[in-house]
Each structure stands twice: as structure tokens, then as C-alpha cells.
Amino acid sequence: MKKLKYLEIVLFLIITQSCSELFQTDEYHKLSSEQHFELTSDNEIILSHNDKLDTVIVVGIIKAEYQDELYTGVHCKGPYDYIEFERVYYALKKDTSLIEVIDEIKNPDDYYGYCRTDIPITNACIQFFFGYPKSSGQIKNAPVLTLNGHNYQCSKLLDDLEIRNSFYSTVYQYEIDSIEFKGIGTIDRIYMTKTDGIIKIGIVKNYNWERV
């Protein structure tokens, strides 16, 4: 009798496990209309500081879906989260030839789709992203900044900002942990918009690189 009861319990657990797996479905997470970059690859930005000029270029924009396993039980198979994401990469134009993952960034269709691999990260780039990795900041629909392997949430949303007699609206401001970025200096602030990209970079020595 005890053996029979034990078998019944085991059978019940197996059925419960199978049923719980059966009723789970894939989940698709699409970006909202506010979470898309209005930029194109090779979009150039001229920054100026004390009459010095430098060019920051959009190295590439990845638009794809990331596959994340929701269930990791006995059978180790689906269902999955399919997370839509966008990621834009900036680098100094003169340094783009040094970025090892440049082909993956410029030609993501060959590398992504339903992405099961890590997103290319390079310390030579300033990166902004929507949707991956999963994150939620205090400012709704603000992209996350990645710089030198660190992620930063938007610290302030400005309705508008004037730079060299040009006005920019919906400006995202980021506070940085004083990170050295080759060719620019030690960064402590970055300002960007989804339509124009980087518009201002603050340096710890109390000066700015500004878009011209």
C-alpha cells in the first residue's frame, strides 16, 4: 500500500510538471513607440571644444530580438522570452578601425535575428540601448547608457537644451563615474536625444565637447 501511494505521488508530480510546462507559452516583448532611435548608420557628429574639432560617428545600430529562456526545469527547454531591443554604437571616427567587433555591429543581420549570443560590447564605443539587458530606470522610456562596461540610467530628462544657438528637445542627461574615454577626456556627463544622438559631453576639468 505504501509503495502504491509513493508511486501515486511520483506520478502526480510528473503530471504536474508536464502540465505546468505545457501551459507555459513564449512571451514577446516589443519596444514602445517611444523606444526607437531615429538615427542611421554612419551618421556623423562634429564636436567642438576650444576650437578643437573631433568627429563622433554612429558605428552601427543593432535592431533585433533577444531570446531568453523562461523555463529551466528538468527538460531544460522553452518557453522563451523574445525581447525586442535596439542598440546604437558611437566612436571617434579615427578609432573605428580599431574596434574588433565592427563587422558584427555594422552588419547585424548576419549575426542576429533571434539572438542567442551576447551583444557585442566594446570599450571603444559609447553605447545606448532600449530593451536589452532588461532594465528599468526612474525616467520612463529613457535609453540606458553603456560606457567602459558600466551601465548608467538616465539621471535627468530635459524638455529642451540650447547648444551653440541650436535648440534640442527631450534631452537625456547621464551622470558618469569619471571614465576616461580615449581622445575625448575624462567624462562625467553625456547628453543625447533619440533623434540627434550625442549633443554634448561634459569633462571633469569643467569643460564640454559640444555639437556644432
Side-chain angles (χ1 to χ4, degrees):
M1 181 65 76
K2 286 184 179 181
K3 284 185 179 181
L4 182 60
K5 191 166 185 177
Y6 175 77
L7 288 173
E8 288 176 352
I9 293 173
V10 171
L11 183 62
F12 173 77
L13 289 173
I14 291 173
I15 292 172
T16 303
Q17 179 70 36
S18 299
C19 287
S20 66
E21 187 176 336
L22 179 66
F23 288 108
Q24 291 188 64
T25 58
D26 292 349
E27 295 182 12
Y28 291 83
H29 301 272
K30 299 293 183 182
L31 296 178
S32 69
S33 59
E34 294 86 2
Q35 294 175 297
H36 293 278
F37 295 110
E38 298 175 39
L39 302 163
T40 58
S41 238
D42 297 329
N43 181 24
E44 293 188 354
I45 300 166
I46 308 297
L47 297 177
S48 175
H49 151 61
N50 282 351
D51 296 326
K52 295 179 181 177
L53 296 177
D54 218 328
T55 304
V56 176
I57 188 171
V58 176
V59 175
I61 301 177
I62 290 176
K63 299 183 179 184
E65 289 182 340
Y66 181 80
Q67 185 187 65
D68 187 25
E69 191 171 53
L70 287 173
Y71 176 75
T72 54
V74 177
H75 301 294
C76 295
K77 61 181 180 181
Y80 295 96
D81 254 341
Y82 290 97
I83 307 163
E84 184 180 36
F85 70 93
E86 290 189 12
R87 195 175 192 106
V88 59
Y89 296 77
Y90 291 92
L92 293 177
K93 189 174 183 179
K94 61 191 176 187
D95 292 336
T96 54
S97 61
L98 304 176
I99 302 172
E100 294 181 359
V101 293
I102 190 75
D103 290 334
E104 295 173 3
I105 295 171
K106 278 186 172 258
N107 305 293
D109 292 340
D110 298 333
Y111 194 68
Y112 297 96
Y114 290 121
C115 175
R116 296 177 176 82
T117 56
D118 292 333
I119 310 305
I121 302 291
T122 170
N123 291 342
C125 287
I126 299 173
Q127 302 152 64
F128 295 94
F129 60 83
F130 290 116
Y132 177 85
K134 292 179 184 178
S135 57
S136 58
Q138 294 181 348
I139 297 176
K140 186 178 180 181
N141 293 322
V144 175
L145 164 67
T146 298
L147 183 60
N148 200 29
H150 298 278
N151 291 339
Y152 296 93
Q153 303 286 345
C154 178
S155 57
K156 188 182 294 184
L157 178 62
L158 308 174
D159 291 333
D160 55 65
L161 183 66
E162 181 182 2
I163 298 177
R164 296 174 179 264
N165 297 320
S166 295
F167 288 88
Y168 300 90
S169 59
T170 313
V171 177
Y172 299 103
Q173 176 181 329
Y174 299 83
E175 304 293 333
I176 311 301
D177 295 333
S178 299
I179 291 179
E180 176 70 24
F181 191 76
K182 184 179 178 182
I184 292 290
T186 304
I187 298 174
D188 65 356
R189 298 175 315 282
I190 293 182
Y191 302 80
M192 67 86 66
T193 77
K194 296 183 301 179
T195 54
D196 301 288
I198 295 173
I199 57 174
K200 182 177 178 179
I201 297 177
I203 305 300
V204 295
K205 293 182 179 179
N206 201 28
Y207 66 84
N208 300 308
W209 287 90
E210 296 180 329
R211 184 166 182 156
V212 295

